[in-house]
Amino acid sequence: MSDLFFPQFAGNSTLRAQLATDLRHATFSHAYILEGPQGFGKHTLARLIAMAAACERRTDEGAPLPCGQCKFCRKIAAGNCHDVITVSREADRATMGVNVIRDLRRGIAAVPNDLNLKIYIIEDAHTMTEEAQNAFLLTLEEPPPFVLFLLLTENAGALLETIRSRAPRLRLQPIAREALAEHLLHSPEGISAGAPTLKREASEEFEALLTLSGGSIGRALTLLDATARAPHLQYRENAKRLLALLADRDKGEGILLLLRSFGTVRQEVLAQLSAVSLALRDLILLSQSEHAPLIFFTDREAATDLAESFTAMRLFSLGEQIAAAEAMLERNANVRLTLTHLFTQLLNT
């Protein structure tokens, strides 16, 4: 039965069931907070909630929700419904100011045009200034009965507690690896982005992409582009090579050359060290259990063999050295000096 609830949205089955129950029985809140990292599908889910709230077959227990076929579903999906209103930051502004919210409030009392309700999708709600949030709260406390607010945010903690208390928080979860692969290989967006071709022609790269995506469909779709994927694949290869060199204590020169190849661009070096940290995390877990879940390695047998080249204590120590280097770079330390210091520490670990 749960497959009928937002079937167009991958994963998050509990969240989908909760929303469907609320919408089918008209017990949904006048506002929801959709929280999750970039690429987790907040915009997609907001559009589907709008479709479901307006769907002509919303109360039909045997139909998918949203049905995707009725005139309201099709209109919202096409972006042609004036009653679904997106509220965004002003151009080139890092925050959403009070003027944006004042504009929202001026039009909120007008009755819907096509639907039985008006749906406001507030993007990047966490960027609202305190003044903007207080202005929005005046509307949130006593909204017109035909209004539904969907607040999209990466961090609900940035919202005032008074706003959070009036809008149930729906936390989007990472998509399981199998479900992510299924979506990429069979959804229209995944097919058009070339997922089946990548799986067929470079299966190892496809598996690495699933790992790199972190359970995010949006990030996975981005990484289907070869140009976007290439540096991340290189970070992975460098991480595996560094650990192989560390397993052989006589490879000091190779380690130094590899660290120098990381370059001097701070964010790129941090991304490289992050890949090393993830690889070490897998090896540490494998040193404790051969069945440990992996988030970096796609070849469990090769990872297990590599883990056996280290003691658990040394793996922990290496992880501490990498974390220390990351912390130094975050504090704006000189990149080249930090990598030189890291080299010395790694040799002595």
Side-chain angles (χ1 to χ4, degrees):
M1 187 66 172
S2 62
D3 290 342
L4 293 176
F5 304 152
F6 300 93
Q8 308 92 332
F9 196 73
N12 292 277
S13 58
T14 301
L15 181 153
R16 290 188 286 126
Q18 174 189 339
L19 275 171
T21 299
D22 290 349
L23 289 162
R24 283 218 194 275
H25 302 290
T27 57
F28 58 90
S29 173
H30 68 283
Y32 288 96
I33 296 171
L34 307 185
E35 182 184 26
Q38 184 177 4
F40 268 42
K42 298 185 293 295
H43 287 82
T44 299
L45 182 58
R47 187 183 71 251
L48 290 171
I49 291 173
M51 291 167 60
C55 184
E56 291 182 312
R57 301 189 66 185
R58 186 178 68 249
T59 59
D60 184 347
E61 295 289 344
L65 184 68
C67 75
Q69 301 301 318
C70 72
K71 62 180 180 181
F72 294 138
C73 280
R74 286 186 281 109
K75 195 166 188 176
I76 294 171
N80 295 328
C81 183
H82 295 295
D83 294 325
V84 179
I85 302 152
T86 299
V87 179
S88 306
R89 286 175 283 178
E90 296 169 308
D92 303 321
R93 301 293 288 272
T95 59
M96 184 182 296
V98 68
N99 288 336
V100 174
I101 303 303
R102 286 173 179 162
D103 287 344
L104 180 157
R105 294 185 64 201
R106 276 192 285 269
I108 201 166
V111 297
N113 293 303
D114 299 326
L115 311 180
N116 292 323
L117 73 168
K118 289 169 67 175
I119 301 159
Y120 287 86
I121 300 173
I122 302 178
E123 299 182 312
D124 300 317
H126 56 281
T127 67
M128 280 193 286
T129 64
E130 186 171 351
E131 185 181 10
Q133 291 193 53
N134 281 317
F136 177 65
L137 185 60
L138 296 175
T139 299
L140 188 62
E141 288 175 328
E142 295 184 13
F146 50 76
V147 167
L148 170 62
F149 292 112
L150 300 173
L151 288 79
L152 280 53
T153 178
E154 295 179 17
N155 176 22
L159 298 173
L160 296 175
E161 193 281 329
T162 45
I163 290 179
R164 298 198 305 271
S165 67
R166 288 168 172 79
R169 179 163 59 172
L170 304 176
R171 174 72 182 176
L172 278 69
Q173 300 297 323
I175 307 300
R177 187 184 185 90
E178 296 77 12
L180 178 59
E182 179 75 12
H183 182 85
L184 293 178
L185 293 171
H186 300 290
S187 70
E189 58 183 356
I191 293 171
S192 64
T197 301
L198 182 64
K199 170 71 172 177
R200 182 174 61 254
E201 298 180 357
S203 60
E204 188 172 339
E205 278 197 34
F206 181 78
E207 292 301 319
L209 179 149
L210 295 178
T211 299
L212 288 167
S213 72
S216 164
I217 289 176
R219 180 167 171 76
L221 290 170
T222 297
L223 291 172
L224 281 169
D225 178 81
T227 302
R229 188 169 65 250
H232 297 282
L233 293 175
Q234 187 61 57
Y235 298 154
R236 287 176 54 81
E237 289 305 311
N238 286 345
K240 289 188 283 188
R241 185 179 170 205
L242 177 61
L243 290 171
L245 289 169
L246 287 168
D248 185 344
R249 290 182 178 272
D250 295 327
K251 298 295 183 180
E253 182 178 354
I255 294 171
L256 180 60
L257 291 174
L258 181 57
L259 290 177
R260 286 178 175 172
S261 76
F262 290 0
T264 57
V265 178
R266 187 177 308 276
Q267 291 306 314
E268 292 179 3
V269 175
L270 279 168
Q272 179 64 83
L273 294 179
S274 176
V276 178
S277 292
L278 290 177
L280 279 167
R281 175 264 184 202
D282 277 4
L283 297 185
I284 290 170
L285 290 180
L286 283 171
S287 71
Q288 309 300 312
S289 169
E290 62 181 8
H291 302 296
L294 304 182
I295 61 174
F296 178 89
F297 289 96
T298 57
D299 185 333
R300 179 176 292 272
E301 184 177 349
T304 300
D305 289 343
L306 183 57
E308 291 175 351
S309 302
F310 300 88
T311 64
M313 184 176 296
R314 187 172 179 227
L315 286 171
F316 277 112
S317 296
L318 291 171
E320 290 174 351
Q321 299 305 330
I322 297 296
E326 290 179 289
M328 290 172 65
L329 292 174
E330 293 285 3
R331 293 195 298 268
N332 214 33
N334 179 277
V335 175
R336 193 176 295 280
L337 291 177
T338 299
L339 290 176
T340 300
H341 177 73
L342 176 61
F343 168 68
T344 302
Q345 296 300 108
L346 292 178
L347 281 190
N348 294 326
T349 297

PDB file of all heavy atoms in Angstrom, residues 33 133-134 137 140-141 159-167:
ATOM      1  N   ILE A  33       7.744  21.905   7.526  1.00  0.00           N
ATOM      2  CA  ILE A  33       9.158  22.196   7.284  1.00  0.00           C
ATOM      3  C   ILE A  33       9.766  20.967   6.628  1.00  0.00           C
ATOM      4  O   ILE A  33       9.739  19.874   7.207  1.00  0.00           O
ATOM      5  CB  ILE A  33       9.900  22.520   8.592  1.00  0.00           C
ATOM      6  CG1 ILE A  33       9.345  23.799   9.223  1.00  0.00           C
ATOM      7  CG2 ILE A  33      11.399  22.669   8.339  1.00  0.00           C
ATOM      8  CD1 ILE A  33       9.880  24.063  10.622  1.00  0.00           C
ATOM      9  N   GLN A 133      11.741  36.452   9.744  1.00  0.00           N
ATOM     10  CA  GLN A 133      11.067  35.356  10.442  1.00  0.00           C
ATOM     11  C   GLN A 133       9.959  35.871  11.353  1.00  0.00           C
ATOM     12  O   GLN A 133       8.877  35.283  11.435  1.00  0.00           O
ATOM     13  CB  GLN A 133      12.078  34.543  11.247  1.00  0.00           C
ATOM     14  CG  GLN A 133      13.041  33.742  10.385  1.00  0.00           C
ATOM     15  CD  GLN A 133      13.824  32.718  11.185  1.00  0.00           C
ATOM     16  OE1 GLN A 133      13.248  31.911  11.908  1.00  0.00           O
ATOM     17  NE2 GLN A 133      15.143  32.747  11.061  1.00  0.00           N
ATOM     18  N   ASN A 134      10.220  36.960  12.040  1.00  0.00           N
ATOM     19  CA  ASN A 134       9.184  37.522  12.912  1.00  0.00           C
ATOM     20  C   ASN A 134       7.998  38.019  12.098  1.00  0.00           C
ATOM     21  O   ASN A 134       6.839  37.869  12.510  1.00  0.00           O
ATOM     22  CB  ASN A 134       9.774  38.653  13.749  1.00  0.00           C
ATOM     23  CG  ASN A 134      10.578  38.132  14.936  1.00  0.00           C
ATOM     24  OD1 ASN A 134      10.161  37.201  15.619  1.00  0.00           O
ATOM     25  ND2 ASN A 134      11.744  38.710  15.177  1.00  0.00           N
ATOM     26  N   LEU A 137       6.090  34.999  11.021  1.00  0.00           N
ATOM     27  CA  LEU A 137       5.374  34.398  12.148  1.00  0.00           C
ATOM     28  C   LEU A 137       3.983  35.003  12.321  1.00  0.00           C
ATOM     29  O   LEU A 137       3.033  34.301  12.698  1.00  0.00           O
ATOM     30  CB  LEU A 137       6.196  34.577  13.423  1.00  0.00           C
ATOM     31  CG  LEU A 137       5.671  33.912  14.696  1.00  0.00           C
ATOM     32  CD1 LEU A 137       5.576  32.399  14.509  1.00  0.00           C
ATOM     33  CD2 LEU A 137       6.585  34.242  15.870  1.00  0.00           C
ATOM     34  N   LEU A 140       1.971  33.068   9.954  1.00  0.00           N
ATOM     35  CA  LEU A 140       1.940  31.647  10.291  1.00  0.00           C
ATOM     36  C   LEU A 140       1.018  31.375  11.470  1.00  0.00           C
ATOM     37  O   LEU A 140       0.393  30.315  11.555  1.00  0.00           O
ATOM     38  CB  LEU A 140       3.361  31.166  10.605  1.00  0.00           C
ATOM     39  CG  LEU A 140       3.564  29.670  10.806  1.00  0.00           C
ATOM     40  CD1 LEU A 140       3.203  28.905   9.535  1.00  0.00           C
ATOM     41  CD2 LEU A 140       5.007  29.378  11.205  1.00  0.00           C
ATOM     42  N   GLU A 141       0.913  32.322  12.389  1.00  0.00           N
ATOM     43  CA  GLU A 141       0.078  32.124  13.571  1.00  0.00           C
ATOM     44  C   GLU A 141      -1.411  32.098  13.224  1.00  0.00           C
ATOM     45  O   GLU A 141      -2.185  31.341  13.801  1.00  0.00           O
ATOM     46  CB  GLU A 141       0.358  33.222  14.596  1.00  0.00           C
ATOM     47  CG  GLU A 141       1.711  33.074  15.276  1.00  0.00           C
ATOM     48  CD  GLU A 141       2.025  34.231  16.204  1.00  0.00           C
ATOM     49  OE1 GLU A 141       1.571  35.373  15.907  1.00  0.00           O
ATOM     50  OE2 GLU A 141       2.723  34.020  17.210  1.00  0.00           O
ATOM     51  N   LEU A 159      15.759  28.255  12.164  1.00  0.00           N
ATOM     52  CA  LEU A 159      14.460  28.906  12.258  1.00  0.00           C
ATOM     53  C   LEU A 159      14.109  29.161  13.725  1.00  0.00           C
ATOM     54  O   LEU A 159      14.503  28.403  14.610  1.00  0.00           O
ATOM     55  CB  LEU A 159      13.378  28.035  11.616  1.00  0.00           C
ATOM     56  CG  LEU A 159      13.546  27.759  10.122  1.00  0.00           C
ATOM     57  CD1 LEU A 159      12.509  26.744   9.662  1.00  0.00           C
ATOM     58  CD2 LEU A 159      13.431  29.038   9.317  1.00  0.00           C
ATOM     59  N   LEU A 160      13.347  30.216  13.950  1.00  0.00           N
ATOM     60  CA  LEU A 160      12.910  30.515  15.313  1.00  0.00           C
ATOM     61  C   LEU A 160      12.106  29.350  15.876  1.00  0.00           C
ATOM     62  O   LEU A 160      11.346  28.691  15.161  1.00  0.00           O
ATOM     63  CB  LEU A 160      12.057  31.782  15.324  1.00  0.00           C
ATOM     64  CG  LEU A 160      12.741  33.096  14.919  1.00  0.00           C
ATOM     65  CD1 LEU A 160      11.709  34.219  14.860  1.00  0.00           C
ATOM     66  CD2 LEU A 160      13.861  33.443  15.888  1.00  0.00           C
ATOM     67  N   GLU A 161      12.251  29.114  17.156  1.00  0.00           N
ATOM     68  CA  GLU A 161      11.515  28.025  17.802  1.00  0.00           C
ATOM     69  C   GLU A 161      10.011  28.217  17.644  1.00  0.00           C
ATOM     70  O   GLU A 161       9.257  27.251  17.520  1.00  0.00           O
ATOM     71  CB  GLU A 161      11.907  27.947  19.277  1.00  0.00           C
ATOM     72  CG  GLU A 161      11.468  26.673  19.987  1.00  0.00           C
ATOM     73  CD  GLU A 161       9.992  26.688  20.390  1.00  0.00           C
ATOM     74  OE1 GLU A 161       9.481  27.794  20.665  1.00  0.00           O
ATOM     75  OE2 GLU A 161       9.362  25.606  20.413  1.00  0.00           O
ATOM     76  N   THR A 162       9.565  29.470  17.628  1.00  0.00           N
ATOM     77  CA  THR A 162       8.135  29.753  17.479  1.00  0.00           C
ATOM     78  C   THR A 162       7.626  29.337  16.102  1.00  0.00           C
ATOM     79  O   THR A 162       6.455  28.970  15.952  1.00  0.00           O
ATOM     80  CB  THR A 162       7.869  31.249  17.699  1.00  0.00           C
ATOM     81  OG1 THR A 162       8.857  32.022  16.991  1.00  0.00           O
ATOM     82  CG2 THR A 162       7.917  31.609  19.165  1.00  0.00           C
ATOM     83  N   ILE A 163       8.489  29.374  15.085  1.00  0.00           N
ATOM     84  CA  ILE A 163       8.109  28.877  13.756  1.00  0.00           C
ATOM     85  C   ILE A 163       8.115  27.354  13.755  1.00  0.00           C
ATOM     86  O   ILE A 163       7.175  26.709  13.276  1.00  0.00           O
ATOM     87  CB  ILE A 163       9.057  29.434  12.678  1.00  0.00           C
ATOM     88  CG1 ILE A 163       8.828  30.938  12.486  1.00  0.00           C
ATOM     89  CG2 ILE A 163       8.866  28.691  11.348  1.00  0.00           C
ATOM     90  CD1 ILE A 163       9.737  31.588  11.456  1.00  0.00           C
ATOM     91  N   ARG A 164       9.177  26.756  14.323  1.00  0.00           N
ATOM     92  CA  ARG A 164       9.267  25.288  14.344  1.00  0.00           C
ATOM     93  C   ARG A 164       8.104  24.658  15.100  1.00  0.00           C
ATOM     94  O   ARG A 164       7.647  23.566  14.737  1.00  0.00           O
ATOM     95  CB  ARG A 164      10.588  24.852  14.983  1.00  0.00           C
ATOM     96  CG  ARG A 164      11.827  25.323  14.224  1.00  0.00           C
ATOM     97  CD  ARG A 164      13.061  24.521  14.622  1.00  0.00           C
ATOM     98  NE  ARG A 164      13.301  24.527  16.051  1.00  0.00           N
ATOM     99  CZ  ARG A 164      14.023  25.442  16.693  1.00  0.00           C
ATOM    100  NH1 ARG A 164      14.568  26.452  16.007  1.00  0.00           N
ATOM    101  NH2 ARG A 164      14.222  25.361  17.993  1.00  0.00           N
ATOM    102  N   SER A 165       7.596  25.339  16.124  1.00  0.00           N
ATOM    103  CA  SER A 165       6.511  24.782  16.934  1.00  0.00           C
ATOM    104  C   SER A 165       5.177  24.792  16.194  1.00  0.00           C
ATOM    105  O   SER A 165       4.235  24.111  16.607  1.00  0.00           O
ATOM    106  CB  SER A 165       6.376  25.560  18.245  1.00  0.00           C
ATOM    107  OG  SER A 165       5.930  26.887  18.001  1.00  0.00           O
ATOM    108  N   ARG A 166       5.084  25.558  15.101  1.00  0.00           N
ATOM    109  CA  ARG A 166       3.822  25.675  14.366  1.00  0.00           C
ATOM    110  C   ARG A 166       3.841  24.929  13.035  1.00  0.00           C
ATOM    111  O   ARG A 166       2.875  24.998  12.284  1.00  0.00           O
ATOM    112  CB  ARG A 166       3.503  27.156  14.120  1.00  0.00           C
ATOM    113  CG  ARG A 166       3.075  27.880  15.396  1.00  0.00           C
ATOM    114  CD  ARG A 166       3.042  29.386  15.209  1.00  0.00           C
ATOM    115  NE  ARG A 166       2.458  30.044  16.371  1.00  0.00           N
ATOM    116  CZ  ARG A 166       3.107  30.272  17.510  1.00  0.00           C
ATOM    117  NH1 ARG A 166       4.379  29.881  17.630  1.00  0.00           N
ATOM    118  NH2 ARG A 166       2.510  30.873  18.526  1.00  0.00           N
ATOM    119  N   ALA A 167       4.931  24.241  12.758  1.00  0.00           N
ATOM    120  CA  ALA A 167       5.043  23.522  11.485  1.00  0.00           C
ATOM    121  C   ALA A 167       5.754  22.196  11.716  1.00  0.00           C
ATOM    122  O   ALA A 167       6.934  22.191  12.079  1.00  0.00           O
ATOM    123  CB  ALA A 167       5.805  24.365  10.460  1.00  0.00           C
TER     124      ALA A 167
END
